[in-house]
Amino acid sequence: MTLRGAEPVRRAVVLGAGIVGVLAALALQRRGFDVTMIDRDEPGRGCSYGNGGAISPDFCVPIALPGMLRRVPKWLFDREGPLVVRWRDLPASLPWLIRWIRAGRMDRVEAHARALRALHAPSYGRYRDILGPRAAGLIEMTGQLYVWRSAAAGPTEALARRLRERHGVETHALAGDEIRQMDGALATGFTRGLFFPENGHTLNPLRLVQTLARQIEEGGGRVLRGEASDIVLENGRAVGVRCSGTTLAGDIVVVAAGIASTAFARALGDRVPLQAERGYHVMLPEPGIRPRIKISNRDHMFGLTPMEHGVRIAGTVEIARPDAPMDERRPRAMLEVAKRMYPGLSDRGAAFWMGCRPSTPDSLPVIDRAARARNVIYAFGHGHTGLTGAPVTGELVAALATGERPHIDPAPFRRDRFG
Ligand SMILES: Cc1cc2nc3c(=O)[nH]c(=O)nc-3n(C[C@H](O)[C@H](O)[C@H](O)COP(=O)(O)OP(=O)(O)OC[C@H]3O[C@@H](n4cnc5c(N)ncnc54)[C@H](O)[C@@H]3O)c2cc1C
């Protein structure tokens, strides 16, 4: 603790400068904390770098749903399917996959959907408040479009619709010609569409994180580069984060290290099931055409986003070790399907990227205090929707740090919910 005038100023060290870390740091700074962020890289170069950019206040359907298991074998043998498992990593991933299947049970899905809705609904409003005028040109809330070629809705779609209705999500169902009216560059053959008017996207996920990181520095915080090795404890409390031989002192430590967070949690006695659901993107700097808004191909589970530096195709899930080599067949398969979606799409200068979604089995992040050190706060596990869930996560972290009453129920995000 340091003194600012007569007031003691509490110091917070935030480990990880991805979208979750920067928004936690800003929320703490707004409450008077002296904030230091530490990342091995420049801000936003982890999973937050390459995502699809979707900001989806209306996203409330968990990834694991009843009936999903029946679709998995077909996906696994489809080169262009949305899921692959790297067989040699299967033994290590199996316990997580079993939990994932259990999380898709009907009796749990409703609670997960409610928690996702609470976490996501205020997302854009928070971004707008935090960024102020900088939101212009960085975030566009012009809607999102889901499209299907398959004429008949599957059983999970019916459940997804019911969940959205229950949570008051506004959608508009579109037929083939209405889809083409919305996006004239799209190929024919898409028979069903769903428009989400309240959703949107960022034009550049990296610039978004770096803009927020700059705001932390403008507010007097520090954004440092270095490899954090462990959280230093004294008498059952964290006193800082050890990093490249020195200790960054803090009264509060926030673990927002994405997929690497479990190692820090494990050292504090907390075992959280976190799987790298690896995803890929293809960045097309000279795409020739642009989708009008963010569009998701729901048969193949990937999307195309119009960004300021081109069109980004992003998605697919690969269950594998975080450090396994990239498999270029995944982004190439997305690119092939995307070119069938948009016959005018050019792949000139295409660049591939892979990132690790830090995923829990139930699609909900962990936002909670550590068992052994109550001044360590976890903020990780945002899986497919970290960009969307990060603003409210920041608020919950700040509430845990200050003892103020959280404005949403924090119970679904407890670290010990996995038993
Ligand atoms: C292909 C793909 C598409 C996606 N699309 C979307 C989307 O459209 N919308 C959406 O909401 N979400 C999307 N996501 C998910 C989203 O990107 C993630 O949930 C989010 O980026 C997680 O943020 P994070 O801050 O927790 O992790 P990260 O961004 O990975 O940040 C963690 C940081 O911790 C640092 N770190 C880790 N260990 C250490 C250490 N020991 N010392 C120092 N630093 C360390 C890393 O360098 C990293 O910068 C997508 C993900 C993928 C892969």
Side-chain angles (χ1 to χ4, degrees):
M1 205 170 299
T2 54
L3 285 180
R4 188 185 289 156
E7 287 277 298
V9 177
R10 299 178 77 200
R11 296 158 305 177
V13 179
V14 179
L15 200 178
I19 191 67
V20 175
V22 291
L23 284 162
L26 275 167
L28 289 165
Q29 193 176 58
R30 278 182 158 194
R31 285 159 181 84
F33 279 83
D34 178 24
V35 171
T36 302
M37 298 206 71
I38 179 75
D39 199 297
R40 59 164 71 106
D41 213 329
E42 62 173 345
R45 289 283 172 183
C47 189
S48 302
Y49 169 78
N51 56 55
I55 295 175
S56 315
D58 282 346
F59 185 96
C60 65
V61 180
I63 304 296
L65 292 174
M68 211 74 144
L69 194 58
R70 257 174 280 137
R71 299 170 71 188
V72 168
K74 180 175 168 281
W75 286 340
L76 291 181
F77 292 102
D78 179 356
R79 200 180 62 83
E80 293 176 348
L83 172 73
V84 293
V85 176
R86 221 175 257 218
W87 298 113
R88 81 176 66 106
D89 296 334
L90 182 62
S93 304
L94 202 55
W96 185 91
L97 286 166
I98 291 168
R99 286 176 187 274
W100 182 82
I101 292 161
R102 283 205 215 120
R105 279 188 357 210
M106 199 59 210
D107 56 335
R108 303 192 179 174
V109 161
E110 172 53 38
H112 299 157
R114 199 176 323 117
L116 283 173
R117 181 69 172 148
L119 188 70
H120 292 164
S123 178
Y124 173 59
R126 298 266 172 208
Y127 273 118
R128 206 186 36 212
D129 290 349
I130 296 164
L131 287 162
R134 297 178 200 202
L138 194 48
I139 295 179
E140 275 183 1
M141 296 308 278
T142 41
Q144 288 173 11
L145 179 63
Y146 285 7
V147 291
W148 291 263
R149 279 192 194 274
S150 49
T156 55
E157 286 169 48
L159 172 60
R161 191 179 61 236
R162 278 206 307 280
L163 291 171
R164 288 189 199 105
E165 279 168 7
R166 203 167 300 159
H167 293 288
V169 170
E170 183 186 347
T171 57
H172 302 279
L174 306 175
D177 50 342
E178 292 168 313
I179 298 170
R180 292 259 304 152
Q181 271 167 27
M182 192 161 264
D183 192 338
L186 200 60
T188 52
F190 288 96
T191 53
R192 292 182 297 125
L194 200 59
F195 177 59
F196 294 76
E198 300 297 327
N199 287 345
H201 66 278
T202 174
L203 293 162
N204 186 336
L206 175 65
R207 189 159 73 80
L208 174 61
V209 177
Q210 296 196 340
T211 301
L212 294 164
R214 242 188 340 272
Q215 284 186 215
I216 294 165
E217 291 180 314
E218 286 164 9
R222 285 160 299 280
V223 181
L224 307 179
R225 263 177 94 159
E227 180 76 24
S229 54
D230 56 322
I231 295 169
V232 186
L233 300 183
E234 272 176 22
N235 304 321
R237 287 185 69 75
V239 292
V241 175
R242 197 162 2 240
C243 181
S244 317
T246 56
T247 299
L248 302 169
D251 305 299
I252 293 281
V253 171
V254 179
V255 178
I259 193 64
S261 301
T262 38
F264 295 97
R266 210 175 306 124
L268 295 175
D270 294 313
R271 288 195 162 268
V272 176
L274 204 65
Q275 170 68 42
E277 276 195 85
R278 299 171 16 136
Y280 287 86
H281 87 210
V282 183
M283 197 65 220
L284 301 176
E286 300 171 51
I289 58 99
R290 280 171 80 77
R292 270 201 36 229
I293 56 174
K294 175 161 175 48
I295 182 165
S296 291
N297 182 321
R298 300 304 284 179
D299 298 317
H300 294 273
M301 295 300 213
F302 71 81
L304 288 92
T305 313
M307 292 192 175
E308 64 189 6
H309 47 311
V311 168
R312 178 170 292 176
I313 307 168
T316 86
V317 169
E318 182 185 46
I319 301 292
R321 285 191 337 266
D323 60 348
M326 176 162 156
D327 180 354
E328 283 207 2
R329 287 173 301 182
R330 302 300 295 158
R332 284 191 196 286
M334 283 195 299
L335 181 57
E336 288 315 307
V337 180
K339 282 159 90 177
R340 296 204 294 270
M341 280 176 81
Y342 286 97
L345 196 65
S346 161
D347 61 10
R348 197 172 312 122
F352 299 154
W353 170 91
M354 185 281 295
C356 295
R357 297 183 188 89
S359 294
T360 62
D362 59 12
S363 305
L364 302 176
V366 172
I367 311 166
D368 198 358
R369 294 196 182 90
R372 281 198 203 141
R374 307 293 287 164
N375 63 335
V376 175
I377 299 170
Y378 299 140
F380 61 81
H382 292 72
H384 289 244
T385 49
L387 190 57
T388 304
V392 172
T393 299
E395 293 301 312
L396 279 180
V397 167
L400 288 167
T402 56
E404 73 192 45
R405 196 186 150 86
H407 63 285
I408 69 166
D409 178 11
F413 311 109
R414 282 192 336 255
R415 65 177 149 66
D416 59 359
R417 67 183 188 267
F418 304 101

